[in-house]
Amino acid sequence: MSKPYIVCHMMMSIDGRIDCGMTVRLAGNHEYYETLAALNAPTRVSGRVTAQLEMASGKFHGTGKPLGHEAFSKKTDAEGYNVIPDTRGTLSWSDDSGSAKPLVILTCEQVSEDYLAFLDSRNISWIATGRDRIDLARASEILNEEFGVERMAVVGGGTINGGFLDAGLLDEVSILIGPGIDGRKGMSAAFDGLPMNHRPVALKLESVTPYDDGAVWLRYSL
């Protein structure tokens, strides 16, 4: 299978929590963006919840006939894309024409034809693959072969990070640890949502970079 080189890059507190409202208050927040740029992965994958909070224009209201088969629609060529998994098509978007980093929405094949038509009307690219949930491996293959994505950074939240990990798609894990503790019960971790019988994934430490403000950048290969 062809796929991009995929790295998961996150900033977290020392107890592994990734809430953005918390991490922005920690030293190391500036280094997070420096280290992300250093990874040279212009295509970024954000989870649906993160996209709903930070990027989307609201919720999509509509029903319709399910697509029922794999398909994709590429609207434009770009050096990098914002890739958003949205399994059944729930997020609304503004027109994406002329965007410097165009959107690509990932859905499963049960997405409604109405939602895909809505994306088409907003000049938004999409990939529909996987019968009942997104086939991340196949979506990554399409991103590589059809969209020309060679390097891709998965930047959270914890559930989408865990999905790429569980699918065996990650080549690297890049963690910027801010010098602070969250400690709040129930807050999302860097990797989250996997079943209780999931075995730990062994990593190989490749580099450690400390910063004067107490932050530490760790890079691991899988």
Side-chain angles (χ1 to χ4, degrees):
M1 183 193 79
S2 62
K3 73 173 191 66
Y5 181 91
I6 303 177
V7 53
C8 179
H9 180 70
M10 297 298 298
M11 181 178 178
M12 67 183 189
S13 57
I14 67 168
D15 52 337
R17 312 298 176 84
I18 60 170
D19 174 56
C20 293
M22 175 273 299
T23 57
V24 74
R25 300 180 182 183
L26 298 180
N29 186 63
H30 178 70
E31 284 89 350
Y32 170 78
Y33 296 99
E34 289 184 352
T35 51
L36 177 58
L39 293 172
N40 189 30
T43 291
R44 313 279 169 79
V45 183
S46 299
R48 186 193 61 79
V49 174
T50 300
Q52 181 177 338
L53 292 173
E54 300 179 3
M55 301 170 66
S57 61
K59 299 294 289 292
F60 178 80
H61 300 285
T63 59
K65 178 183 175 183
L67 178 66
H69 60 87
E70 180 178 287
F72 73 91
S73 176
K74 180 183 179 182
K75 297 296 188 293
T76 186
D77 289 306
E79 292 185 3
Y81 299 89
N82 280 318
V83 178
I84 309 296
D86 185 11
T87 303
R88 294 182 181 271
T90 62
L91 299 180
S92 184
W93 301 94
S94 301
D95 191 280
D96 202 42
S97 300
S99 174
K101 194 180 289 287
L103 288 165
V104 181
I105 308 301
L106 307 184
T107 74
C108 79
E109 295 166 18
Q110 296 306 307
V111 68
S112 72
E113 293 180 343
D114 289 350
Y115 186 70
L116 299 180
F118 163 75
L119 295 181
D120 288 337
S121 74
R122 296 295 192 272
N123 200 46
I124 296 173
S125 300
W126 52 266
I127 298 170
T129 182
R131 181 175 179 181
D132 296 308
R133 62 178 183 175
I134 299 168
D135 184 338
L136 292 175
R138 178 63 180 142
S140 297
E141 185 175 25
I142 293 171
L143 284 167
N144 178 244
E145 294 181 349
E146 305 294 344
F147 288 76
V149 175
E150 297 182 356
R151 292 178 65 88
M152 185 164 74
V154 183
V155 293
T159 300
I160 191 61
N161 295 347
F164 274 86
L165 179 69
D166 192 38
L169 295 171
L170 295 182
D171 299 287
E172 180 179 340
V173 173
S174 169
I175 298 291
L176 196 287
I177 301 177
I181 299 170
D182 186 332
R184 293 173 294 167
K185 184 176 182 179
M187 301 305 292
S188 180
F191 294 89
D192 222 339
L194 298 181
M196 291 299 292
N197 62 354
H198 193 276
R199 295 184 177 182
V201 177
L203 305 175
K204 179 183 178 183
L205 181 64
E206 298 291 348
S207 66
V208 179
T209 305
Y211 294 92
D212 291 341
D213 60 9
V216 180
W217 184 23
L218 306 175
R219 295 181 71 174
Y220 297 91
S221 60
L222 282 84

